């Protein structure tokens, strides 16, 4: 057993009147945090899980894809993240989300994707704080559920606006802000600057969540210390490792370093996720959607046993045209990893 780097107790964590089990959150990730993945991560100890980014107009007009992205069945605490640039559509989408069971509505002001930014949403809002604030105000006014905001530090190094935006968001009734420690110009290059998030924490009284590059449980305490944040959010570090947020939560709670699940347990999680995606999307779309997840599960399993991922078997999993062949290829890949672990 190892001990935490500091004995500082973690404060109780809540978003408005919504209590959160622990201060380790699963980030919203487009094409990744489907409801199946969120259910698994929540069961394995994530304090809060957030939906994929959902386009506000599409959700408000009952688009099928948007509805699937916002799905929250089986979750005790459901959070929907909305994106958009029109206050009226954001308000309507928030009503739809809460009406379908969302306990919290999050607003995306950090996505760096060209398609989102080109539509003047996501991190493009960091260049127009007045519009960003109008979006927040409209969403808060539309629903009784707490509204939160996820942002980046700024558009680029010359325009670090997160402290100002967070303060204005709180003034409009936002109940939490999450800050990814990069600018939009950085995309995902370099390292997230956790210490830069501290300036946001100094401007607001609502909870602040630090996001970016938390891939090792041992680093969670450093992330909290550097940022001054109340909680951490894990994105890419959870891909293929649905158990990782729970592992981080345990590390923060008692300082113990948890071993990853056994190879058999990881295989069972991959299979559970796969079958869930087939049910959620239907066979054809589910097979395609699941491929990246299965690749990440195999990468995590390879890391667990300390051996390279079996490339031929992995390729068979990622290119299988149907579920029957994908399942068989997945069995072979895990069998090969088990053989390597025993060698």
């Amino acid at each position: 057993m190892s001990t935490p780097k500091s004995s500082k107790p973690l404060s109780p964590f809540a978003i408005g009147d919504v209590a959160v089990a622990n201060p380790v959150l699963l980030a919203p990730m487009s094409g990744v945090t489907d409801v199946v993945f969120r259910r698994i991560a929540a069961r394995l100890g994530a304090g809060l899980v957030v939906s994929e980014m959902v386009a506000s107009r599409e959700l408000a007009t009952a688009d099928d894809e948007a509805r699937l992205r916002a799905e929250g069945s089986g979750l005790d605490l459901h959070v929907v993240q909305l994106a958009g640039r029109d206050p009226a559509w954001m308000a309507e989408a928030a009503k739809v989300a809460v009406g379908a069971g969302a306990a919290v509505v999050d607003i995306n002001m950090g996505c760096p994707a060209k398609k989102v930014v080109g539509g003047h949403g996501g991190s493009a809002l960091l260049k127009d704080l007045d519009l960003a604030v109008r979006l927040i105000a409209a969403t808060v006014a539309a629903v009784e559920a707490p509204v939160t905001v996820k942002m980046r530090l700024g558009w680029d190094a010359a325009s670090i606006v997160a402290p100002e935006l967070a303060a204005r968001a709180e003034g409009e009734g936002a109940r939490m802000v999450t800050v990814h420690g990069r600018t939009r110009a950085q995309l995902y290059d370099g390292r997230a600057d956790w210490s830069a998030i501290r300036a946001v924490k100094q401007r607001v009284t609502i909870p602040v969540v630090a996001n970016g590059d938390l891939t090792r449980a041992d680093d969670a305490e450093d992330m909290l210390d550097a940022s001054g944040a109340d909680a951490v959010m894990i994105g890419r570090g959870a891909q293929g490792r649905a158990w990782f947020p729970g592992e981080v939560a345990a590390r923060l709670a008692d300082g113990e370093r948890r071993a990853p699940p056994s190879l058999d347990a990881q295989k069972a999680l991959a299979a559970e996720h796969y079958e869930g995606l087939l049910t959620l999307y239907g066979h054809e779309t589910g097979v395609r959607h699941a491929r990246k997840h299965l690749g990440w599960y195999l990468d995590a399993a390879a890391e667990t046993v300390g051996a390279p991922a079996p490339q031929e078997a992995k390729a068979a999993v990622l290119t299988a045209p149907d579920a029957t062949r994908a399942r068989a290829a997945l069995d072979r890949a895990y069998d090969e990893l088990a053989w390597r672990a025993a060698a």
Side-chain angles (χ1 to χ4, degrees):
M1 180 191 300
S2 58
T3 56
K5 295 175 183 176
S6 77
S7 58
K8 176 183 65 177
L10 293 172
S11 300
F13 184 60
I15 305 169
D17 60 359
V18 175
V20 181
N22 65 64
V24 182
L25 287 58
L26 176 68
M29 292 179 280
S30 291
V32 179
T33 51
D34 52 75
V35 67
V36 186
F37 184 46
R38 282 180 277 138
R39 283 197 298 255
I40 295 172
R43 187 180 77 229
L44 296 179
L48 192 74
V49 295
V50 187
S51 80
E52 301 177 64
M53 177 179 67
V54 183
S56 56
R57 180 168 183 166
E58 282 75 0
L59 184 62
T61 54
D63 175 79
D64 286 342
E65 182 177 347
R67 179 183 56 80
L68 285 174
R69 285 174 174 264
E71 177 63 49
S73 58
L75 289 169
D76 292 333
L77 184 52
H78 179 34
V79 183
V80 171
Q81 187 188 69
L82 299 176
R85 65 180 307 274
D86 185 303
W89 285 121
M90 289 291 288
E92 288 304 309
K95 293 176 185 177
V96 171
V98 172
V104 177
V105 174
D106 186 58
I107 302 176
N108 184 305
M109 296 189 176
C111 179
K114 184 180 295 186
K115 179 179 179 181
V116 177
V117 170
H120 306 289
S123 57
L125 292 165
L126 300 173
K127 297 193 294 182
D128 189 345
L129 297 194
D130 289 342
L131 174 57
V133 170
R134 290 199 300 275
L135 292 173
I136 296 166
T139 308
V140 169
V143 294
E144 293 186 3
V147 173
T148 64
V149 182
K150 188 171 189 292
M151 64 186 73
R152 286 190 168 222
L153 294 173
W155 180 258
D156 55 28
S159 57
I160 302 300
V161 298
E164 179 184 353
L165 177 55
R168 294 179 69 178
E170 181 177 23
E172 295 296 340
R175 306 307 295 267
M176 182 183 82
V177 294
T178 299
V179 185
H180 182 116
R182 287 184 175 88
T183 64
R184 192 274 171 177
Q186 289 179 274
L187 298 177
Y188 292 99
D189 294 337
R191 290 286 301 175
D193 186 352
W194 299 338
S195 62
I197 299 170
R198 183 171 288 275
V200 176
K201 180 60 182 173
Q202 292 169 344
R203 289 287 299 274
V204 298
T205 62
I206 55 176
V208 173
V209 182
N211 175 225
D213 293 344
L214 182 55
T215 59
R216 302 188 325 133
D218 288 353
D219 292 337
E221 189 79 19
D222 285 340
M223 189 180 200
L224 287 170
D225 286 344
S227 64
D230 303 281
V232 298
M233 179 175 277
I234 298 169
R236 291 172 294 167
Q239 291 175 349
R241 301 194 296 167
W243 61 86
F244 182 58
E247 179 185 331
V248 173
R251 176 76 166 147
L252 289 173
D254 59 23
E256 291 191 20
R257 184 176 289 116
R258 305 298 203 266
S262 68
L263 206 58
D264 284 344
Q266 291 185 36
K267 178 182 175 181
L269 291 172
E272 177 186 350
H273 195 172
Y274 190 60
E275 299 304 324
L277 290 174
L278 296 180
T279 300
L280 182 67
Y281 292 111
H283 181 274
E284 184 177 351
T285 302
V287 166
R288 292 198 310 269
H289 189 87
R291 286 171 178 157
K292 58 181 175 291
H293 287 288
L294 296 181
W296 290 327
Y297 280 113
L298 288 173
D299 288 341
E303 182 180 346
T304 297
V305 302
Q311 292 305 312
E312 185 174 340
K314 180 179 177 181
V317 171
L318 299 184
T319 58
D322 58 65
T324 299
R325 279 179 274 194
R327 293 186 189 101
L330 193 66
D331 284 341
R332 290 194 300 272
Y334 276 97
D335 287 346
E336 184 172 340
L337 281 169
W339 177 84
R340 292 182 181 185

